[in-house]
Each structure stands twice: as C-alpha cells, then as structure tokens.
C-alpha cells in the first residue's frame, strides 16, 4: 500500500492542474505510513519526467498539507 500510494502521488502530480487530488494523496500517504521526507524524495526523483513547474506545485501541496510544525503529530498517531 505504501508504494502504491507513493506512486499514485507522483502520477497525479505529473498530470498538472490536479492540486486537489495531489493534496488528497498526500494525506493518503500519511494514512498508510509514508513520511513527508519520503514523499518529497519521490517527487524530486520524478522531476526529470514531469518538469520543474509541476514538481514545484507538488512540493507546495505537500508543504500545505504537512506544515513543518505539524508533521510529528501525524506520525505519533495523535490524529
């Protein structure tokens, strides 16, 4: 499930104009146990395939859903 959800995040990010779906899959990745760092690494590794603008949009979505000060709350099972 972790790999499938991570792949779905990258595919939806590469489509462009799907920021709502990207945010939903960021939350889905958190739900299956993927970390913010894992999502960022997967998106950055997809950069040559989806281009710089779409990569930046995807990273902005990740940062919007998981702000710096709230990341630990998700992983400790408090939410």
């Amino acid at each position: 499930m972790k790999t499938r959800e991570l792949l779905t995040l990258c595919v939806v990010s590469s489509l462009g104009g799907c920021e709502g779906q990207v945010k939903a899959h960021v939350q889905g990745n958190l739900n299956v146990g993927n970390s913010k760092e894992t999502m960022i690494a997967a998106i950055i590794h997809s950069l040559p395939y989806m281009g710089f603008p779409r990569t930046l949009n995807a990273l902005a979505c990740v940062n919007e859903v998981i702000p710096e000060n709230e990341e630990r709350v998700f992983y400790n099972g408090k939410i």
Side-chain angles (χ1 to χ4, degrees):
M1 286 301 291
K2 289 173 123 179
T3 304
R4 186 183 313 173
E5 189 62 41
L6 196 60
L7 179 61
T8 303
L9 173 66
C10 292
V11 169
V12 172
S13 297
S14 71
L15 295 174
C18 301
E19 283 74 20
Q21 290 82 2
V22 173
K23 291 174 190 174
H25 283 286
V26 169
Q27 186 61 53
N29 271 279
L30 287 174
N31 292 344
V32 296
N34 286 327
S35 68
K36 181 178 181 179
E37 291 81 17
T38 301
M39 288 183 259
I40 289 172
I43 291 168
I44 289 172
H45 279 84
S46 300
L47 187 147
Y49 308 104
M50 65 181 170
F52 194 67
R54 290 180 180 172
T55 300
L56 289 180
N57 290 343
L59 293 174
C61 290
V62 171
N63 285 324
E64 187 177 327
V65 174
I66 314 169
E68 284 295 320
N69 56 355
E70 293 184 21
E71 182 178 10
R72 300 259 183 238
V73 176
F74 289 106
Y75 300 147
N76 291 330
K78 295 179 183 174
I79 289 182

